[in-house]
């Protein structure tokens, strides 16, 4: 028995539709390749699936660019004129926006004010006042943040200084350390927790300007 006639309509099942598309796409590409080899034809196929996937076949003897050039020359159509016109329109629009922004920047700098109406000048003045307020608030915020940071650093340094003083006073109270008055000089004996004993002498030295210097030497 012969194959039954298949009704040509959209396949609703997504999986079946993708399988059918893949099989028939391969069949069409195979026929295109056969035409290219058997008949020395220049064939180009461009396909997009329902999911947006792109597939293309082009005869090895020609590039896609050359194929479209041949098509335009033969059919007498220009595929790019409308696209070029849209690009020109978009370029003009962007150029106008750029010129407008540049003019606004110059006006904010106090330039290019000729030709502005009273209302435009008032609007510009209000915008600049608002911008100045925002800049001033931001500056104050930065100053406040930096001040708090510096205060924290000062407090940390003061705390470290206090800890060092407490540590030094504790060393003076430690029996391993001794301070002996020796006729105006002071001798300091330090023990390191073992049998070793170190002795230092603190000498008072009179400066020629009447000041006082102290010299710590190993006794």
């Amino acid at each position: 028995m012969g194959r039954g006639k298949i009704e040509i309509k959209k396949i609703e099942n997504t999986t079946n539709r993708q399988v059918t598309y893949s099989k028939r796409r391969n069949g069409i590409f195979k026929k295109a390749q056969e035409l290219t080899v058997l008949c020395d034809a220049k064939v180009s196929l461009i396909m997009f699936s329902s999911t947006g996937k792109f597939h293309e076949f082009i005869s090895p003897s020609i590039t896609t660019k050359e194929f479209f050039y041949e098509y335009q020359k033969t059919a007498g159509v220009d595929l790019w004129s409308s696209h070029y016109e849209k690009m020109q329109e978009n370029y003009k629009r962007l150029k106008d926006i750029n010129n407008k922004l540049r003019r606004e920047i110059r006006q904010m700098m106090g330039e290019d004010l000729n030709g502005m109406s009273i209302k435009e000048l008032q609007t510009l003045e209000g915008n600049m006042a608002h911008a100045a307020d925002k800049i001033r608030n931001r500056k104050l915020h930065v100053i406040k943040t930096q001040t708090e940071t510096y205060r924290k650093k000062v407090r940390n340094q003061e705390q470290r200084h206090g800890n060092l003083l407490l540590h030094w006073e504790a060393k003076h109270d430690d029996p391993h350390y001794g301070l002996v008055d020796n006729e105006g000089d002071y001798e300091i004996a330090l023990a390191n927790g073992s049998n070793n004993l170190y002795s230092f002498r603190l000498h008072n030295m009179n400066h020629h300007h009447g000041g006082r210097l102290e010299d710590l030497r190993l006794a």
Side-chain angles (χ1 to χ4, degrees), residues 20-30 47 55:
T20 302
Y21 172 81
S22 179
K23 290 181 178 179
R24 300 210 172 199
R25 181 199 66 214
N26 293 337
I28 292 175
F29 281 2
K30 183 178 180 180
M47 302 177 65
H55 300 91

Side-chain angles (χ1 to χ4, degrees), residues 195-212:
N195 295 327
N196 297 326
L197 182 66
Y198 300 93
S199 178
F200 295 88
R201 176 167 295 172
L202 186 64
H203 296 273
N204 293 330
M205 301 173 61
N206 292 326
H207 196 270
H208 64 278
H209 289 297
R212 178 181 176 185

Side-chain angles (χ1 to χ4, degrees), residues 92-103:
K92 184 178 181 301
R93 181 178 62 84
L94 294 176
K95 186 177 180 180
D96 292 340
I97 293 175
N98 181 65
N99 291 335
K100 181 180 178 182
L101 292 175
R102 288 178 177 272
R103 184 172 60 254

